[in-house]
Structure formats: structure tokens, C-alpha cells
Amino acid sequence: MKTYAKLKFLIAALVFGFGINFYTHAQTYKLNNKVSSLIVDGTSNIHDWDMRAENCGGILSTEMEDGSLEEIEKLEFSVRAESL
């Protein structure tokens, strides 16, 4: 359940992070790596930890109607493992 909540938060953050234009119906947004950040939180049997990703990217294609999100047509998100 905790992972599902984080995924919902990530999608919402991506939608707002891409800067939605409420007057258009279909838009594609590209993640700007220079102004975005990703922190991965984790746990082990020894301690909790977090890591910052240095290189991530993504594309979001949405369908908007009257200023509300109708559909997420495409969502691609990637992080290079070496950048963690």
C-alpha cells in the first residue's frame, strides 16, 4: 500500500512538475533534469537510507478537458542505475 501511495504521489508530482497548460486538450511534457530531483528512500536490516539520482528522464502525454486530467496516454520514467 505504501508503494501505491508513493506511485500516486510521483505521478501527481510529474504532472505538476511538467507545468500543465489548462487550455490545451492533448499535451506532451518532457522532464527537465536540471530543475528536477529524485530521492530514493530505502530500508535495510541495519538502517534506513536515501540516495539522490543524478540522471533521470521522462515523458508524459496527457489528455486534458476543461482544466482536469482525463487520461494519461503515456508515462515513461527512467533513472540510470549508475547515477544513484
Side-chain angles (χ1 to χ4, degrees), residues 31-33 36-38 53-58 77-80 83:
L31 183 65
N32 185 343
N33 198 34
S36 301
S37 64
L38 172 69
E54 296 172 1
N55 191 359
C56 57
F77 183 74
S78 62
V79 178
R80 295 188 67 169
S83 73

Side-chain angles (χ1 to χ4, degrees), residues 15-71:
V15 168
F16 291 111
F18 285 111
I20 297 175
N21 182 349
F22 290 110
Y23 299 108
T24 59
H25 290 284
Q27 278 292 342
T28 300
Y29 306 93
K30 185 175 181 184
L31 183 65
N32 185 343
N33 198 34
K34 292 180 182 179
V35 297
S36 301
S37 64
L38 172 69
I39 301 173
V40 179
D41 293 323
T43 61
S44 70
N45 57 351
I46 300 172
H47 60 84
D48 294 342
W49 53 269
D50 60 35
M51 301 176 94
R52 285 191 182 273
E54 296 172 1
N55 191 359
C56 57
I59 297 173
L60 173 67
S61 297
T62 63
E63 183 75 30
M64 304 291 291
E65 187 170 318
D66 295 327
S68 64
L69 179 65
E70 290 292 317
E71 179 181 357

